[in-house]
Amino acid sequence: MELLEEHRCFEGRQQRWRHDSAVLDCAMTFSIFLPPPIDGKKPPVLYWLSGLTCNDENFTTKAGAQRVAAELGIALVMPDTSPRGDAVADDAQYDLGKGAGFYLNATEQPWASHYRMYDYIRDELPALIEAEFSVSDRRAISGHSMGGHGALIMALKNPGRFSSVSAFAPIVNPTQVPWGQKAFSHYLGEEAEKWQAWDSCALMLASQAEDAIPALIDQGDADPFLAGQLQPAVLAEAARQKAWPLTLRIQPGYDHSYYFIASFIEDHLRFHAEHLFR
Amino acid sequence: MELLEEHRCFEGRQQRWRHDSAVLDCAMTFSIFLPPPIDGKKPPVLYWLSGLTCNDENFTTKAGAQRVAAELGIALVMPDTSPRGDAVADDAQYDLGKGAGFYLNATEQPWASHYRMYDYIRDELPALIEAEFSVSDRRAISGHSMGGHGALIMALKNPGRFSSVSAFAPIVNPTQVPWGQKAFSHYLGEEAEKWQAWDSCALMLASQAEDAIPALIDQGDADPFLAGQLQPAVLAEAARQKAWPLTLRIQPGYDHSYYFIASFIEDHLRFHAEHLFR
């Protein structure tokens, strides 16, 4: 691992690291915020998954999360959104290829050789974080848009792995919307049956009651992608049917930007803290 | 004026505008944060002047200032750091020309025709802001690095104009350091006597006791520019001699980045609020 940057921030440390990912077969960059120690305890970790076109720095520089993370004693880990590098397949459009990994394991070429973000986020990265940094093994997960989809499928597919999950403007039903249908058809092939394993609504409807964890979703009602790509109410209805403790908040006037995330990230951190420190 | 962007943010409005500047003879872009109304009162305005290479978006997206500005009821105005456009003289280096206006009125060619950021920030922009937005005529000013220099000279040269001034890692003594000497020699010519009118330390030593306003400076001690370009203790000593109420805080471990600004911007906003609402 190579330390690329370090900055003092709210008495903690904001760092950027590069490491060689065996799962993705390329070099990857992630950012981490290590809060100042509280009573000598190892902090739990909130993983943040970013949206289309983002890398590890969008949330790091724009969300203003470090202030509350420092106060609460939560480490923040911000991975990249896809494999990177000249050897990695890409597409000219913003919603496929680099910056658009969709947090799944691709089965189709040319994607299958590197696009395994699900395994990377689920296994390789947490193992690295817990081995290399002084953090606890308590984890929560959150994300924005494509990263909200990522956070939700990570939580739904891995009972017991996270103590809580939250999302801002997530893609909850990718099998039914253009962003998801395009990505899934390229990464997973045209057989739509296979897509269900990566769709939060389908996963929610197939979930067991004992696996439910607290979930919080914020959605701006001025988000231009709300009707065509997001529709979080579909997941909220599935959660209701399965008695999952999911809270969906509609925030009047807010859009899809980091100004929206910055406005409500404190609520999400306090929500996760309730469960991380239980 | 043309509205380029608008986002809801902490219940207020984050906007980006383009207008034609008569003073600078070019189109200019600024950002403004309008807090949610408190008791129907018009908010006072904090002007933020950014540093080398920045435009109106650096502070807007990275400082996390809107949260506290919304709570306190302070409007934030973020201008650009130089004139812009194809007709404007530039230099290949980052510390001269576009992005490096140094908040002065240039007298030398090719700079003199557009580089009049002092008049723009002092007169044209506040007149525009106070005419076009529902804000009061109470003003404070702050900035970072080159923008800290800008905030300090604005306050020192214009008694009564601002109720308080603050800065992060400001260039306080530009006539004595490489960034200032380079910029001043190009913008103002080689006659160093003329430079004194744009040097906070010289202005402080020439100031009248009755013109003093509260001043707050934060400086990280891990800032790589501290010894060679910044040296805020020189201004603190001048302030002590003139009995100016200037507080210089040295923040251990902090560097020159926006992570430093984000960590302490809340203190600056609360400091300005004390005087803006007096």
Side-chain angles (χ1 to χ4, degrees):
Chain A
M1 291 221 301
E2 181 193 358
L3 181 64
L4 303 178
E5 280 185 42
E6 181 169 33
H7 307 276
R8 196 161 183 85
C9 182
F10 289 100
E11 301 297 299
R13 289 172 292 156
Q14 180 67 53
Q15 300 175 335
R16 196 169 192 221
W17 291 88
R18 181 177 292 142
H19 73 112
D20 289 322
S21 165
V23 166
L24 302 175
D25 193 21
C26 64
M28 290 293 286
T29 300
F30 67 87
S31 286
I32 184 169
F33 175 70
L34 295 162
I38 297 178
D39 301 336
K41 289 192 194 120
K42 290 183 176 185
V45 180
L46 175 67
Y47 289 85
W48 172 268
L49 304 185
S50 281
L52 288 166
T53 77
C54 291
N55 65 12
D56 61 296
E57 292 199 290
N58 299 69
F59 182 83
T60 305
T61 59
K62 294 182 172 182
Q66 293 93 343
R67 178 183 61 87
V68 187
E71 178 202 319
L72 298 172
I74 297 174
L76 306 172
V77 172
M78 284 67 69
D80 205 342
T81 55
S82 74
R84 300 283 180 178
D86 293 343
V88 172
D90 198 8
D91 186 88
Q93 306 261 287
Y94 76 98
D95 53 3
L96 186 68
K98 291 181 193 173
F102 273 84
Y103 304 103
L104 50 70
N105 292 333
T107 55
E108 303 301 298
Q109 292 302 352
W111 313 106
S113 31
H114 294 282
Y115 284 77
R116 303 185 62 82
M117 287 298 288
Y118 178 74
D119 285 352
Y120 175 70
I121 300 292
R122 192 185 79 149
D123 300 319
E124 188 181 29
L125 185 63
L128 184 77
I129 297 296
E130 291 165 22
E132 297 289 335
F133 299 93
S134 182
V135 297
S136 83
D137 60 0
R138 293 283 287 174
R139 307 178 198 101
I141 193 159
S142 185
H144 174 226
S145 196
M146 175 184 75
H149 146 75
L152 290 164
I153 62 167
M154 286 288 161
L156 284 157
K157 289 167 80 76
N158 297 285
R161 185 74 57 109
F162 303 100
S163 56
S164 48
V165 59
S166 77
F168 292 80
I171 305 170
V172 300
N173 205 181
T175 61
Q176 304 301 314
V177 303
W179 275 337
Q181 291 169 339
K182 175 177 175 181
F184 286 12
S185 66
H186 283 86
Y187 294 141
L188 303 170
E190 295 296 342
E191 205 180 321
E193 180 62 28
K194 291 186 183 163
W195 301 359
Q196 300 299 316
W198 308 100
D199 183 292
S200 293
C201 290
L203 291 165
M204 177 68 80
L205 288 171
S207 71
Q208 306 297 317
E210 65 267 29
D211 294 336
I213 58 171
L216 171 63
I217 295 178
D218 270 319
Q219 172 65 58
D221 78 353
D223 185 327
F225 304 112
L226 173 53
Q229 305 277 11
L230 304 175
Q231 303 172 15
V234 180
L235 183 65
E237 171 55 22
R240 193 193 60 75
Q241 290 178 30
K242 304 296 288 191
W244 256 60
L246 184 152
T247 301
L248 168 60
R249 309 192 306 185
I250 302 298
Q251 303 290 0
Y254 287 86
D255 62 21
H256 201 68
S257 71
Y258 264 89
Y259 295 111
F260 163 53
I261 296 171
S263 298
F264 297 104
I265 192 66
E266 177 166 357
D267 292 357
H268 285 238
L269 286 162
R270 294 193 189 285
F271 162 76
H272 289 296
E274 269 181 50
H275 307 290
L276 283 168
F277 294 111
R278 182 165 287 173
Chain B
M1 290 222 301
E2 179 193 359
L3 181 63
L4 303 179
E5 279 184 43
E6 181 168 34
H7 308 276
R8 196 159 183 85
C9 182
F10 289 100
E11 302 297 299
R13 288 173 291 156
Q14 180 66 53
Q15 300 175 333
R16 195 168 194 222
W17 292 89
R18 181 176 292 140
H19 73 113
D20 290 321
S21 165
V23 166
L24 302 176
D25 193 20
C26 64
M28 290 293 285
T29 300
F30 67 87
S31 287
I32 184 169
F33 174 71
L34 296 161
I38 297 178
D39 302 335
K41 289 192 194 119
K42 291 184 175 184
V45 181
L46 175 67
Y47 290 85
W48 172 268
L49 305 186
S50 281
L52 289 166
T53 77
C54 290
N55 66 12
D56 61 296
E57 291 199 291
N58 300 68
F59 182 83
T60 304
T61 59
K62 294 182 173 182
Q66 292 94 342
R67 178 181 62 88
V68 186
E71 178 203 320
L72 298 172
I74 298 174
L76 305 172
V77 172
M78 283 67 67
D80 204 344
T81 54
S82 74
R84 298 283 180 178
D86 293 343
V88 172
D90 198 7
D91 186 87
Q93 306 260 284
Y94 75 98
D95 54 0
L96 186 68
K98 292 180 193 173
F102 272 84
Y103 304 103
L104 50 70
N105 293 333
T107 54
E108 304 301 299
Q109 290 305 350
W111 313 105
S113 29
H114 294 284
Y115 283 78
R116 303 185 62 81
M117 287 297 290
Y118 179 74
D119 285 353
Y120 175 70
I121 299 292
R122 193 186 79 148
D123 300 322
E124 189 181 29
L125 185 63
L128 184 77
I129 296 295
E130 289 165 24
E132 298 290 336
F133 299 92
S134 182
V135 297
S136 82
D137 60 0
R138 293 282 287 175
R139 307 178 198 101
I141 194 161
S142 185
H144 174 226
S145 195
M146 175 184 76
H149 147 76
L152 290 164
I153 63 167
M154 286 289 160
L156 284 158
K157 289 167 80 78
N158 297 285
R161 185 72 58 110
F162 302 100
S163 56
S164 48
V165 59
S166 77
F168 291 80
I171 304 170
V172 299
N173 205 182
T175 61
Q176 304 303 313
V177 303
W179 274 339
Q181 290 169 340
K182 176 177 174 180
F184 286 12
S185 65
H186 283 86
Y187 293 141
L188 303 170
E190 295 296 342
E191 205 180 320
E193 180 62 27
K194 292 185 182 164
W195 300 0
Q196 300 299 315
W198 308 99
D199 183 293
S200 292
C201 290
L203 291 164
M204 177 67 80
L205 289 171
S207 71
Q208 305 297 317
E210 64 268 28
D211 294 335
I213 57 171
L216 172 63
I217 295 178
D218 270 319
Q219 172 66 57
D221 78 354
D223 185 329
F225 303 113
L226 174 52
Q229 304 277 11
L230 304 175
Q231 303 171 15
V234 180
L235 183 64
E237 171 56 21
R240 193 194 59 75
Q241 289 178 30
K242 304 297 288 192
W244 256 59
L246 184 151
T247 301
L248 168 60
R249 308 192 307 184
I250 302 299
Q251 303 290 0
Y254 286 87
D255 61 22
H256 202 68
S257 71
Y258 264 89
Y259 295 110
F260 164 53
I261 296 171
S263 299
F264 297 103
I265 192 66
E266 178 166 356
D267 292 356
H268 285 237
L269 286 162
R270 295 194 188 283
F271 162 77
H272 289 296
E274 268 181 50
H275 307 289
L276 283 167
F277 294 111
R278 182 164 288 173

